[in-house]
Amino acid sequence: MTKTKGPKVALIVGAGDHLGSAIAKRFAKEGFAIVATRRRGDLTGLIDEIEALGSRAYGLHSDARNEAQVAELVEKVESDIGPIEVAVFNVGGNVRFGILETTARVYQKSWEMCAFAGFLIGREVARRMVPRKSGTILFTGASASLRGVSGFAAFAGGKHALRALAQSMARELGPQGIHIGHVGLTPTFMQPSAK
């Protein structure tokens, strides 16, 4: 195993106000330096909260759907902050449209956010982790990763694709020391009732 210098770094892509921020704070409590990213929006509050926990934190804006921006993001983190030990892909894309109202643009944008962006982040981070023979890449899912629901065809299509990406990456990269996980919760109202 190749040893690297620097703090252990968790890259959180899609560090929104809810789940993404909670994930970032959880890794901060475990002693990770946090790189929180999102396409737009204020990251100051999250960075302040993480630093109050005693961890180093960096807020960066990057569009995970843009190949050049993703490559630049990963390079900046690796060269300026430290080696990425964990990457969490948490970009959303949850839109509700009936199938007859779902435009090609809506479907494509949802797929870009859920699946294509996950591919770009996963590939670029894996390119750094494979030579080190260690690292973890996590993709957050949703109940839409498992089943389509009326009004959410675009979202389910993107989340299904993200889950398949995670499965393929796990089978390919697991033997090389890289852990890939697809994690998500099914809301209580969607779970089968216990009888």
Side-chain angles (χ1 to χ4, degrees), residues 27-114:
F27 276 100
K29 288 178 184 176
E30 296 298 321
F32 283 83
I34 302 299
V35 179
T37 74
R38 60 194 296 183
R39 187 167 36 127
R40 61 180 181 262
D42 188 15
L43 288 162
T44 307
L46 176 59
I47 299 308
D48 290 345
E49 286 183 60
I50 292 169
E51 289 177 345
L53 295 170
S55 288
R56 290 175 40 200
Y58 308 85
L60 302 172
H61 289 97
S62 179
D63 187 343
R65 301 169 301 168
N66 182 298
E67 186 173 20
Q69 286 186 35
V70 169
E72 182 181 321
L73 169 68
V74 172
E75 172 61 30
K76 179 173 183 55
V77 173
E78 290 270 332
S79 62
D80 296 351
I81 300 168
I84 300 167
E85 189 170 320
V86 175
V88 179
F89 178 80
N90 180 58
V91 174
N94 188 353
V95 294
R96 181 179 188 146
F97 288 96
I99 194 67
L100 301 181
E101 290 77 38
T102 302
T103 64
R105 179 170 159 59
V106 164
Y107 196 94
Q108 183 173 0
K109 290 294 180 188
S110 187
W111 172 81
E112 283 178 353
M113 291 172 69
C114 294

Side-chain angles (χ1 to χ4, degrees), residues 173-184:
L173 300 178
Q176 299 179 62
I178 313 304
H179 177 74
I180 308 293
H182 178 269
V183 295

